[in-house]
């Protein structure tokens, strides 16, 4: 330990000692790390925590996405996915199309279907309850991880039900988990500017807290690299950490990078890969009660994802099979995101870790 501290600038000794001893850091200490810490120190601290939580393993799964439509009631400034109904890039999948897509995986080794999309005015809670039932009839062994908190809030409110009632309907139809989308950034001033039509940050947290209390686990995200600052980022992480203290229902945190193509914030550009790694490492350090941090490869690209494994990430998501367009429409380098199991294991092994296939709840798949 003493040898390590010889390599750390003295002003970071106290916070580093806390982290290496497994103690929780404050918002002020998190902000100091995000603003000032050398990248080598962030990598050392984040990997130390990662290896305490998941050892030498890095996780992946076999999954595919269903994105039923990109015609949305909301018009968020950062979004490249949403298109008006008369756009040649708009789509609206009929139920038969969705079920046909699910049927392609009937005899596969896929363990998860991830369903997110736009908030469309013609599709409500009962439609999605019935859709999940039909997908589970086709793929009974597959976990349905579906609907951001924004989608859930909209469909449940339109149905005139409480969150508990709506989520229980979905759970009883086969909903197994909730993805982390729609969190964006929790600061209400920034949120009002970039996505003011969406539910509030408090409502996002309420949806996830209610789901956790009903036995539905979830993920969490943060959209960074737009008009927010480091203080907003740390506050976002603090609110997630506080909720996890209360419920323990989050499986993973996914930092999501703003991508600039085809949206109204394009002129601000994108942050660097160095900034990506800084945000990811501090997220791993600050979120001491989150078991997993995901490097979402369709967002980062394969090379940056491999780098992220040396800044605290222990999961790279799944095979995907070219079934998501959300990040490719925003300019990510992976224009047709798809990887084989061999591809994913090669990335993990190349970073010095052991690949481990998982299900949606991080149970090993043999």
């Amino acid at each position: 330990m003493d040898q390590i501290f010889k390599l750390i600038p003295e002003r970071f000794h106290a916070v580093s000692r806390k982290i290496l001893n497994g103690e929780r850091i404050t918002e002020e200490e998190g902000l100091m790390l995000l603003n000032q810490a050398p990248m080598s120190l962030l990598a050392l601290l984040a990997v130390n925590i990662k290896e305490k939580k998941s050892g030498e393993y890095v996780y992946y799964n076999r999954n595919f996405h269903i994105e039923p439509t990109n015609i949305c009631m909301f018009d968020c400034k950062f979004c490249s996915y949403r298109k008006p109904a008369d756009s040649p890039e708009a789509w609206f999948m009929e139920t038969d199309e969705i079920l046909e897509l699910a049927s392609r995986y009937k005899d596969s080794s896929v363990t998860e279907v991830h369903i997110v999309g736009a908030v469309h005015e013609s599709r409500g809670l009962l439609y999605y309850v019935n859709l999940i039932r039909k997908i589970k009839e086709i793929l009974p062994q597959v976990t349905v991880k579906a609907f951001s908190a924004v989608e859930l809030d909209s469909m449940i409110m339109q149905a005139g039900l409480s969150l508990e009632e709506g989520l229980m309907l979905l759970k009883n139809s086969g909903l197994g988990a909730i993805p982390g989308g729609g969190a964006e950034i929790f600061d209400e001033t920034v949120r009002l500017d970039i996505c003011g039509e969406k539910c509030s940050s408090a409502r996002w947290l309420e949806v996830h807290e209610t789901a956790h209390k009903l036995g539905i686990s979830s993920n969490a995200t943060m959209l960074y690299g737009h008009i927010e600052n480091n203080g907003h980022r740390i506050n976002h992480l603090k609110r997630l950490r506080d909720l996890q203290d209360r419920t323990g229902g989050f499986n993973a945190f996914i930092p999501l990078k703003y991508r600039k193509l085809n949206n109204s914030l394009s002129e601000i550009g994108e942050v660097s890969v160095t900034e990506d790694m800084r945000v990811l490492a501090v997220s791993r350090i600050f979120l001491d009660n989150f078991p997993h941090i995901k490097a979402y490869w369709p967002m980062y690209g394969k090379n940056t994802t491999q780098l992220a494994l040396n800044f605290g990430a222990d999961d790279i998501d799944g095979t995907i099979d070219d079934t998501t367009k959300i990040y490719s429409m925003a300019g990510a380098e992976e224009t047709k995101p798809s990887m084989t199991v061999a591809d994913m294991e090669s990335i993990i092994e190349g970073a010095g870790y052991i690949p481990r296939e998982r299900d949606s709840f991080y149970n090993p798949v043999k």
Side-chain angles (χ1 to χ4, degrees):
M1 184 73 77
D2 290 340
Q3 291 298 112
I4 291 176
F5 277 90
K6 289 180 182 178
L7 304 174
I8 297 174
E10 188 171 352
R11 69 183 185 278
F12 296 107
H13 279 194
V15 68
S16 298
R17 196 174 299 278
K18 282 181 73 173
I19 294 164
L20 293 170
N21 287 335
E23 298 174 34
R24 174 165 286 186
I25 65 169
T26 65
E27 289 179 84
E28 293 75 16
E29 289 167 330
L31 188 59
M32 178 181 69
L33 292 174
L34 200 48
N35 283 331
Q36 302 173 24
M39 295 299 291
S40 57
L41 175 59
L42 291 179
L44 184 153
L45 297 174
V47 167
N48 178 271
I49 294 170
K50 173 256 178 280
E51 293 185 350
K52 285 178 180 175
K53 290 183 178 292
S54 52
E56 296 182 273
Y57 295 106
V58 168
Y59 296 91
Y60 69 91
N61 71 341
R62 303 186 202 219
N63 64 347
F64 72 100
H65 288 224
I66 296 174
E67 294 169 353
T69 182
N70 66 341
I71 303 168
C72 190
M73 295 166 56
F74 305 139
D75 190 8
C76 303
K77 289 183 178 180
F78 57 81
C79 184
S80 309
Y81 177 79
R82 184 255 189 197
K83 301 298 176 187
D86 59 355
S87 168
E89 294 182 274
W91 70 82
F92 184 89
M93 295 176 71
E94 299 294 345
T95 303
D96 287 348
E97 294 178 83
I98 294 171
L99 297 179
E100 191 279 327
L101 174 57
S103 295
R104 296 179 203 172
Y105 298 91
K106 191 169 184 178
D107 297 316
S108 73
S109 299
V110 160
T111 59
E112 177 184 284
V113 54
H114 181 126
I115 309 174
V116 293
V119 179
H120 194 283
E121 60 186 9
S122 75
R123 285 183 168 167
L125 178 63
L126 292 182
Y127 171 83
Y128 287 114
V129 164
N130 289 324
L131 181 66
I132 292 174
R133 284 193 181 123
K134 291 173 182 176
I135 290 171
K136 288 293 288 184
E137 288 172 5
I138 297 167
L139 300 169
Q141 79 286 2
V142 168
T143 298
V144 177
K145 184 172 75 177
F147 314 128
S148 70
V150 175
E151 293 169 90
L152 291 166
D153 175 59
S154 179
M155 68 176 75
I156 291 170
M157 280 203 309
Q158 286 179 13
L161 300 177
S162 68
L163 284 177
E164 291 88 347
E165 292 167 334
L167 287 166
M168 278 306 300
L169 268 177
L170 289 161
K171 181 180 179 180
N172 291 337
S173 73
L175 178 71
I178 296 173
E184 320 315 355
I185 200 78
F186 287 154
D187 180 85
E188 294 298 353
T189 302
V190 177
R191 193 175 186 85
L192 184 64
D193 190 352
I194 65 171
C195 57
E197 298 168 293
K198 281 183 174 176
C199 68
S200 67
S201 58
R203 184 65 168 176
W204 188 98
L205 291 161
E206 183 184 5
V207 171
H208 283 262
E209 183 164 12
T210 305
H212 297 172
K213 289 177 178 177
L214 296 175
I216 305 169
S217 63
S218 68
N219 290 338
T221 62
M222 176 178 70
L223 183 71
Y224 70 91
H226 43 92
I227 65 170
E228 91 291 357
N229 61 37
N230 280 344
H232 299 142
R233 295 172 182 175
I234 292 296
N235 175 261
H236 188 104
L237 297 178
K238 174 66 162 55
R239 293 175 75 176
L240 290 174
R241 190 172 74 178
D242 288 347
L243 177 53
Q244 183 74 333
D245 278 345
R246 294 197 298 274
T247 68
F250 287 118
N251 290 320
F253 173 73
I254 309 108
L256 294 176
K257 177 177 184 167
Y258 163 74
R259 292 287 190 175
K260 68 180 182 179
L261 190 66
N262 299 321
N263 60 66
S264 60
L265 293 179
S266 293
E267 64 181 20
I268 69 174
E270 297 177 3
V271 298
S272 66
V273 171
T274 300
E275 185 79 357
D276 295 334
M277 296 302 102
R278 182 174 290 277
V279 170
L280 189 143
V282 172
S283 298
R284 176 61 288 171
I285 294 164
F286 194 88
L287 295 174
D288 53 20
N289 53 4
F290 272 65
H292 305 286
I293 303 291
K294 182 182 292 188
Y296 184 53
W297 73 263
M299 170 200 67
Y300 279 143
K302 295 170 186 175
N303 291 333
T304 302
T305 294
Q306 189 174 60
L307 177 64
L309 301 184
N310 289 296
F311 282 85
D314 73 336
D315 183 81
I316 63 173
D317 200 72
T319 48
I320 293 177
D321 200 22
D322 192 19
T323 52
T324 179
K325 297 182 180 180
I326 292 174
Y327 263 98
S328 58
M329 292 174 74
E333 64 186 67
E334 304 293 341
T335 55
K336 292 183 177 295
S338 182
M339 276 208 279
T340 64
V341 166
D343 292 334
M344 302 191 85
E345 293 189 343
S346 176
I347 285 174
I348 294 166
E349 289 169 348
Y353 290 103
I354 300 170
R356 173 166 278 186
E357 185 177 352
R358 61 166 177 85
D359 65 12
S360 300
F361 312 103
Y362 289 85
N363 300 306
V365 173
K366 294 181 181 179

